[in-house]
mmCIF file of all heavy atoms in Angstrom:
data_model
loop_
_atom_site.group_PDB
_atom_site.id
_atom_site.type_symbol
_atom_site.label_atom_id
_atom_site.label_comp_id
_atom_site.label_asym_id
_atom_site.label_seq_id
_atom_site.Cartn_x
_atom_site.Cartn_y
_atom_site.Cartn_z
ATOM 1 N N ALA R 205 0.127 -63.194 252.875
ATOM 2 C CA ALA R 205 -0.764 -64.342 252.699
ATOM 3 C C ALA R 205 -0.998 -64.662 251.223
ATOM 4 O O ALA R 205 -1.137 -65.824 250.845
ATOM 5 C CB ALA R 205 -2.095 -64.073 253.396
ATOM 6 N N ASP R 388 -17.886 -56.417 253.445
ATOM 7 C CA ASP R 388 -17.328 -57.481 252.620
ATOM 8 C C ASP R 388 -18.428 -58.189 251.832
ATOM 9 O O ASP R 388 -18.251 -58.546 250.652
ATOM 10 C CB ASP R 388 -16.579 -58.476 253.503
ATOM 11 C CG ASP R 388 -15.792 -59.484 252.704
ATOM 12 O OD1 ASP R 388 -15.366 -59.156 251.572
ATOM 13 O OD2 ASP R 388 -15.600 -60.613 253.191
ATOM 14 N N GLN R 432 7.950 -42.978 232.740
ATOM 15 C CA GLN R 432 7.154 -43.907 231.945
ATOM 16 C C GLN R 432 8.054 -44.841 231.138
ATOM 17 O O GLN R 432 7.860 -46.063 231.117
ATOM 18 C CB GLN R 432 6.246 -43.125 230.988
ATOM 19 C CG GLN R 432 5.266 -43.964 230.216
ATOM 20 C CD GLN R 432 4.113 -44.424 231.095
ATOM 21 O OE1 GLN R 432 3.293 -43.629 231.505
ATOM 22 N NE2 GLN R 432 4.083 -45.705 231.411
ATOM 23 N N PRO R 510 31.199 -25.378 250.893
ATOM 24 C CA PRO R 510 30.844 -25.373 249.469
ATOM 25 C C PRO R 510 32.058 -25.520 248.564
ATOM 26 O O PRO R 510 31.950 -26.048 247.471
ATOM 27 C CB PRO R 510 30.155 -24.017 249.296
ATOM 28 C CG PRO R 510 29.591 -23.716 250.645
ATOM 29 C CD PRO R 510 30.601 -24.237 251.618
ATOM 30 N N ASN R 570 -17.083 -21.696 266.579
ATOM 31 C CA ASN R 570 -17.848 -22.891 266.960
ATOM 32 C C ASN R 570 -18.208 -23.768 265.771
ATOM 33 O O ASN R 570 -18.928 -24.751 265.921
ATOM 34 C CB ASN R 570 -19.127 -22.475 267.696
ATOM 35 C CG ASN R 570 -20.074 -21.701 266.798
ATOM 36 O OD1 ASN R 570 -19.647 -21.071 265.822
ATOM 37 N ND2 ASN R 570 -21.364 -21.729 267.130
ATOM 38 N N ASN R 584 -21.521 -31.388 244.469
ATOM 39 C CA ASN R 584 -22.565 -32.339 244.842
ATOM 40 C C ASN R 584 -23.948 -31.986 244.316
ATOM 41 O O ASN R 584 -24.936 -32.609 244.709
ATOM 42 C CB ASN R 584 -22.623 -32.480 246.359
ATOM 43 C CG ASN R 584 -21.519 -33.366 246.887
ATOM 44 O OD1 ASN R 584 -20.877 -34.084 246.126
ATOM 45 N ND2 ASN R 584 -21.272 -33.305 248.177
ATOM 46 N N GLU R 645 -26.470 -35.414 250.334
ATOM 47 C CA GLU R 645 -25.031 -35.375 250.071
ATOM 48 C C GLU R 645 -24.284 -34.686 251.202
ATOM 49 O O GLU R 645 -23.169 -35.076 251.552
ATOM 50 C CB GLU R 645 -24.762 -34.661 248.742
ATOM 51 C CG GLU R 645 -25.452 -35.275 247.539
ATOM 52 C CD GLU R 645 -25.026 -36.704 247.298
ATOM 53 O OE1 GLU R 645 -23.927 -37.097 247.734
ATOM 54 O OE2 GLU R 645 -25.803 -37.449 246.677
ATOM 55 N N VAL R 718 -3.137 -22.699 231.638
ATOM 56 C CA VAL R 718 -1.980 -22.912 230.769
ATOM 57 C C VAL R 718 -2.271 -24.140 229.923
ATOM 58 O O VAL R 718 -2.660 -25.186 230.446
ATOM 59 C CB VAL R 718 -0.689 -23.127 231.580
ATOM 60 C CG1 VAL R 718 0.466 -23.500 230.658
ATOM 61 C CG2 VAL R 718 -0.342 -21.888 232.390
ATOM 62 N N LEU R 833 8.923 -23.200 260.537
ATOM 63 C CA LEU R 833 8.847 -24.503 261.184
ATOM 64 C C LEU R 833 9.928 -25.437 260.681
ATOM 65 O O LEU R 833 10.433 -25.308 259.567
ATOM 66 C CB LEU R 833 7.469 -25.134 261.009
ATOM 67 C CG LEU R 833 7.000 -25.528 259.607
ATOM 68 C CD1 LEU R 833 7.457 -26.950 259.256
ATOM 69 C CD2 LEU R 833 5.486 -25.466 259.518
ATOM 70 N N ASP R 842 15.285 -41.580 269.660
ATOM 71 C CA ASP R 842 16.219 -40.585 269.118
ATOM 72 C C ASP R 842 15.669 -39.163 269.145
ATOM 73 O O ASP R 842 16.364 -38.220 268.760
ATOM 74 C CB ASP R 842 16.573 -40.931 267.666
ATOM 75 C CG ASP R 842 17.440 -42.166 267.556
ATOM 76 O OD1 ASP R 842 18.141 -42.484 268.527
ATOM 77 O OD2 ASP R 842 17.405 -42.821 266.498
ATOM 78 N N LEU R 854 20.499 -24.284 265.068
ATOM 79 C CA LEU R 854 19.856 -22.968 264.988
ATOM 80 C C LEU R 854 20.687 -21.928 265.734
ATOM 81 O O LEU R 854 20.883 -20.800 265.265
ATOM 82 C CB LEU R 854 18.447 -23.028 265.576
ATOM 83 C CG LEU R 854 17.379 -23.769 264.767
ATOM 84 C CD1 LEU R 854 16.086 -23.868 265.575
ATOM 85 C CD2 LEU R 854 17.125 -23.060 263.449
ATOM 86 N N THR R 873 21.182 -23.045 243.634
ATOM 87 C CA THR R 873 20.226 -24.133 243.750
ATOM 88 C C THR R 873 18.796 -23.632 243.598
ATOM 89 O O THR R 873 17.989 -24.221 242.867
ATOM 90 C CB THR R 873 20.387 -24.841 245.109
ATOM 91 O OG1 THR R 873 21.706 -25.384 245.201
ATOM 92 C CG2 THR R 873 19.363 -25.959 245.270
ATOM 93 N N LEU R 888 3.839 -24.373 236.901
ATOM 94 C CA LEU R 888 3.818 -23.086 236.211
ATOM 95 C C LEU R 888 2.465 -22.399 236.408
ATOM 96 O O LEU R 888 2.401 -21.198 236.720
ATOM 97 C CB LEU R 888 4.091 -23.291 234.720
ATOM 98 C CG LEU R 888 3.918 -22.076 233.810
ATOM 99 C CD1 LEU R 888 4.874 -20.955 234.202
ATOM 100 C CD2 LEU R 888 4.128 -22.482 232.346
#
Side-chain angles (χ1 to χ4, degrees):
D388 189 28
Q432 186 75 69
N570 65 335
N584 282 345
E645 303 299 336
V718 174
L833 65 88
D842 290 335
L854 288 173
T873 299
L888 172 61

